[in-house]
Amino acid sequence: MLGAPGGLSGPGHRLARIALALGLPADATGPDIMETIVAARDKPGIPPKMVSAQDALLLADDIDLLAFPTR
């Protein structure tokens, strides 16, 4: 599509999706990715947040499809 950003699934970007998911630049190397993963093991996890099913349930007019992120 004209004007769309370039894809990251080509042979020149083998690790780009993993790098971006970890908050690294798309051109991060394998060792950079591994250092980030190893460093994350020592960080505390994100505690779970308990919600009731009723709080997360949307019905009829409460549903707004435009509220979901699309980018």
Side-chain angles (χ1 to χ4, degrees):
M1 175 182 288
L2 292 176
L8 294 176
S9 59
H13 300 284
R14 287 185 18 226
L15 302 173
R17 291 179 188 213
I18 297 169
L20 292 173
L22 295 171
L24 297 172
D27 60 350
T29 64
D32 293 337
I33 292 170
M34 287 306 301
E35 286 177 23
T36 301
I37 292 172
V38 169
R41 293 179 67 185
D42 295 330
K43 294 182 181 178
I46 299 171
K49 179 180 177 183
M50 300 299 291
V51 297
S52 73
Q54 295 300 321
D55 292 341
L57 184 64
L58 298 176
L59 300 172
D61 292 334
D62 294 334
I63 299 170
D64 181 8
L65 294 179
L66 299 177
F68 292 103
T70 57
R71 287 189 188 196

